[in-house]
Amino acid sequence: MSTEEMRQEQQFVFLAHERLDRLRGEAEAAVRGTMAQVSTGRQARMERDIEVAERSASLAALNAADTGLCFGRVDRRDGVTHHIGRLGLRADDAERTPLLIDWRAPVARPFYLATGYEPMGLRRRRHLTTEGRTVTALHDEIMDLGDPTRTGHESHDADEVLLAALEGARTGRMADIVSTIQAEQDHIIRAPQHGVLVVEGGPGTGKTAVALHRAAYLLYAHREQLAKRAVLVVGPNPAFLGYIGEVLPSLGETGVLLSTVGELYPGVHATGTDSPAAAAVKGRPEMADVLAEAVRDRQRVPAKGEPVVIAHDDGELVLDWAIAVEARHKARETGLPHNLARPYFAFHVIDDLTAQLADRIGEDPYGGPNFLGPDDIAQLGKAVAASAEVHSALASLWPPLDPEEFLAGYLAEPTHLGDAEADLVRRSEGPWTPADVPLLDEAAELIGADDSAARAAAEAERSLRIAYAQGVLDVSYASRTYEFEDKEDVDADASEVLAAHDVIDAERMAERQEEADHRSAAERAAADRTWAFGHIIVDEAQELSAMAWRLLMRRCPTRSMTLVGDPAQTADPAQSGDPAQSGGPAQSGGPAQSGDPVAPAAPAAGGEGGGFWQRILAPYVADRWRLARLGVNYRTPAEIMDYAAARRRRTEPDFTPPRSIRSTGTAPFERIADLADVADLAAAEAPEEGRLAVIAPGELHGALTGLGGEGPLDLSRPVVLLDPRQAKGLEFDTVLVVAPERMPPNDLYVALTRATQRLGVVTPA
């Protein structure tokens, strides 16, 4: 019986993969065929490009889903059976019969939520374990105890599949949890898109995995909307993004932008490093007002009694304090950013200077009225506006600004800060730092992009293309008429033969030469600072500064966001809402909407935490946000979690960690050793399969030789050297924590909770 069940599932898996291969072949052929089509108009070319992009995305999804295509089956009491997989497939028949159900479809929910107490109409739930296209194991869970049918694959432990996945060796890349999503996680993944959802949980509770699967679910449920506007996933550092980079493609989603905050200003690569104190100053919310004042400082007026004298053909023009103050007031009244308000300042100044010139030229020596008419004054205004001297004077008072140049100048000589704070952020050269990027974004908002020159250049280029196209058509017409001997032949015969100018005009011909934009929505969003995303997911959200939150909120006007974090793992007081500055997370819990489908889990590590998130979100959404908590630790064995909690209680006696669901029977070990011997200890402790991390304060890395700390961080190496903040969100089979006494409590908590199997703590001799 069991052999027959295995054979049937193997046949189904082969059938599903054959269907996937056929669809993949069809998609490849469609892409080639569509690209080969000759389009005769702009609209047709645009439709072709869109079709190519859509089919290419479909092909990428099919390729990504090939591994582990089918992982489950549900047998319902009504006799219907559904196989569950990474994406949906239909049979190649007239009825388009569902062959494989996408894990995100509503009909797949019982696979994740059904229990013996609430079977949701199921008789049996089956987990399929595969290697490539081969079924290697079946695990059946009986939901209807009254059903006498047995297959021989019944599991004695309902968590057998989950525990097997948790015990597996790490590869240096995060794996999806699509086959082992737990009920508390499923509620969060499928929560409504709109509004801000905060997911709080301690180490190992699956926050990151839930956030990524939520991104995949939202793209499935709201494909038309989110495919156009894109989903942004924000991580704490590039190494973390590399670690999670394969999860969404494995779920069939390739149109998501993964980025750090430091990468969200197009054209800027934030490779510099700030001291924690400097980053704290740059991240304060007051920096928005400081930069606004610095921009206003660039809007100058002459000192009283020291007017700007402008040479002019008809005599000197005087730009004094009163004229400039009035013009500045009018420009600021518009509420526009600096560069966009600049023309209003110039208009008012030019009007005053023109009136000054008109009074002088049109003055009646006998005291009569000014003899210049409106047309004469308009001509004088054009002459004033065209004056290079006037432009120079305007530029000295209200200069056009560039955000990068402005911020570089500001950091070289900070103003509107205390002396100590100014000394911390002062920098005359060097690369941008991640803490600079939110300031750049703020400066760009305050300054504004004056695209008039770019639009004028684009229009000029378009005019040139049209003129060139018209020339081509004229040559075509001339060469055609040359074939006829006289005008009568032209009139009689040429009208019967269609030429280029008969079927297309110069403007349409020029449009056909325009460059098509083949980029995906995510690629276009990455290059556009003003892009509005359909949904934003923030991992390690507790780490973001107030200025970073301003940047992200600008990129999501609809406030459709999922924020994932743990206040107990906040790195340092530089981040907004740090418990150390506010007396710890509030005990009141976060607000929840009536009838909220998100089922709150057990309290997460670090206390209730509602007040922590309220401080962050209140300026943007008031109390219109929901809080869900994950309280089960799937990663960290109980022995390691108990050790980490005990260390944490030395500074926080009431600390409560998340509950671990498994135990290895191996307690953490402690060693006293020279730093030079840590590499040998790491070699001895490294697992045969899997990864080992040595986590030590950054200032000790130079002394930890032989651990490969040089060059870019590569998490796929058997042994890696990290500092605690680089380790955030990552997991390893074995971890050695070096010099724990030199780590702040939150950093130490992070370091101690990265291991899935074995933990060692090394105190330098």
Side-chain angles (χ1 to χ4, degrees), residues 118-133:
E118 181 53 63
M120 300 180 69
L122 299 189
R123 292 188 303 107
R124 176 188 311 273
R125 171 169 52 205
R126 167 170 289 177
H127 293 267
L128 283 73
T129 303
T130 60
E131 290 184 5
R133 303 187 175 196

Side-chain angles (χ1 to χ4, degrees), residues 429-733:
E429 58 183 15
W432 297 112
T433 70
D436 290 332
V437 170
L439 301 185
L440 274 172
D441 199 69
E442 190 73 28
E445 287 292 308
L446 294 167
I447 291 170
D450 184 359
D451 62 349
S452 56
R455 285 188 284 108
E459 184 59 31
E461 184 180 348
R462 180 174 178 274
S463 298
L464 286 175
R465 285 199 304 268
I466 293 174
Y468 178 81
Q470 187 61 57
V472 171
L473 293 175
D474 291 344
V475 171
S476 173
Y477 179 77
S479 63
R480 175 169 172 256
T481 57
Y482 182 74
E483 297 174 5
F484 298 94
E485 295 180 357
D486 54 48
K487 188 176 185 303
E488 289 186 4
D489 289 335
V490 174
D491 293 339
D493 299 327
S495 61
E496 299 177 6
V497 180
L498 289 177
H501 64 270
D502 294 316
V503 295
I504 192 170
D505 59 21
E507 187 171 352
R508 287 179 176 271
M509 187 174 181
E511 287 177 349
R512 293 182 60 183
Q513 309 309 313
E514 292 180 7
E515 192 76 23
D517 191 348
H518 296 283
R519 295 175 301 171
S520 67
E523 291 169 330
R524 286 183 281 120
D528 185 355
R529 191 193 70 81
T530 63
W531 188 275
F533 289 92
H535 193 83
I536 292 181
I537 292 175
V538 184
D539 205 335
E540 302 293 347
Q542 77 279 355
E543 298 299 330
L544 297 190
S545 69
M547 293 302 295
W549 281 115
R550 288 175 65 87
L551 177 152
L552 290 180
M553 291 297 175
R554 276 193 284 269
R555 282 157 175 73
C556 192
T558 61
R559 303 293 190 260
S560 179
M561 308 177 83
T562 302
L563 314 179
V564 178
D566 177 16
Q569 297 184 65
T570 305
D572 59 55
Q575 311 309 326
S576 61
D578 181 66
Q581 292 184 334
S582 58
Q587 302 299 309
S588 58
Q593 304 295 331
S594 176
D596 190 342
V598 177
E608 290 293 331
F612 177 94
W613 303 110
Q614 180 66 25
R615 287 188 294 276
I616 292 173
L617 297 173
Y620 308 103
V621 295
D623 61 353
R624 300 185 303 277
W625 56 280
R626 296 163 291 155
L627 177 64
R629 294 190 177 91
L630 295 169
V632 177
N633 186 333
Y634 300 98
R635 174 209 301 147
T636 316
E639 294 84 357
I640 295 177
M641 205 65 222
D642 290 344
Y643 180 88
R647 294 292 295 249
R648 185 63 182 263
R649 291 191 187 103
R650 295 180 185 179
T651 56
E652 191 177 336
D654 296 331
F655 179 77
T656 302
R659 175 179 57 86
S660 296
I661 67 167
R662 65 192 183 98
S663 173
T664 61
T666 303
F669 64 88
E670 297 181 346
R671 295 281 191 279
I672 297 176
D674 291 332
L675 293 179
D677 296 332
V678 172
D680 292 337
L681 179 59
E685 292 293 334
E688 293 184 6
E689 295 184 10
R691 301 293 181 271
L692 179 145
V694 177
I695 304 178
E699 63 269 20
L700 298 183
H701 284 198
L704 295 170
T705 56
L707 292 171
E710 308 81 16
L713 181 59
D714 182 2
L715 295 177
S716 64
R717 296 180 55 183
V719 177
V720 294
L721 174 63
L722 306 165
D723 65 44
R725 297 179 191 185
Q726 289 176 312
K728 294 183 75 68
L730 308 182
E731 59 182 35
F732 304 90
D733 299 88

Side-chain angles (χ1 to χ4, degrees), residues 275 277-278 281 411 413-414 417-427:
S275 69
V281 173
L411 293 176
E413 194 53 53
L417 289 173
D419 291 342
E421 294 172 329
D423 289 341
L424 285 170
V425 304
R426 184 177 286 108
R427 187 182 72 232

Side-chain angles (χ1 to χ4, degrees), residues 391-425:
H391 278 278
S392 177
L394 291 173
S396 68
L397 297 177
W398 195 299
L401 297 179
D402 172 80
E404 293 182 47
E405 292 178 0
F406 163 78
L407 187 62
Y410 175 81
L411 293 176
E413 194 53 53
T415 57
H416 307 288
L417 289 173
D419 291 342
E421 294 172 329
D423 289 341
L424 285 170
V425 304

Side-chain angles (χ1 to χ4, degrees), residues 102 155 219 248 273 361 445 594 642 709 765:
D102 192 301
S155 296
L219 282 163
L248 284 167
T273 303
I361 294 175
E445 287 292 308
S594 176
D642 290 344

